[in-house]
Amino acid sequence: MNDLECPYCDAELKVNHDDGFGYAEDESHEMECDKCEKSFTFQTHINFSYHPSKADCLNTGHHIFSEWKQLWEHEGISTQDRECETCGKYERRNLPLSTK
Ligand SMILES: [Zn+2]
Ligand SMILES: [Zn+2]
């Protein structure tokens, strides 16, 4: 990732990121080649990567919910929530507490 090639002699160079050097995007940074000792500039392009996963529930409407979890009890009502493991769809319900 941090390697670049000298535009003059094609030497493989490492960018020294001490003090965060070279991380700012769309800025010209100056560097000197170790081999041919010519100066050149480079720009940093940060690549974002995406990791797709299937989300069947978004296509079929069948969500894979976790178990209901109780959030709190208040005046005989239990408030619970659960979340779809795939898409994060959130549901909350209020249940009357069974009287003992
Ligand atoms: Zn060079
Ligand atoms: Zn879902």
Side-chain angles (χ1 to χ4, degrees), residues 4-13 30-40:
L4 49 77
E5 282 179 8
C6 170
Y8 292 104
C9 71
D10 291 336
E12 295 249 327
L13 303 170
E30 263 184 56
M31 206 164 131
E32 195 182 282
C33 177
D34 295 335
K35 272 208 174 157
C36 65
E37 298 188 330
K38 285 190 167 124
S39 291
F40 62 94

Side-chain angles (χ1 to χ4, degrees), residues 52-64 84-88:
S53 339
K54 285 182 184 171
D56 288 338
C57 59
L58 297 178
N59 302 301
T60 63
H62 299 296
H63 298 282
I64 304 161
C84 172
E85 288 166 18
T86 304
C87 71

Side-chain angles (χ1 to χ4, degrees), residues 1-4 13-17 23 31:
M1 266 296 278
N2 299 344
D3 292 345
L4 49 77
L13 303 170
K14 274 222 182 297
V15 178
N16 181 357
H17 284 298
Y23 278 126
M31 206 164 131

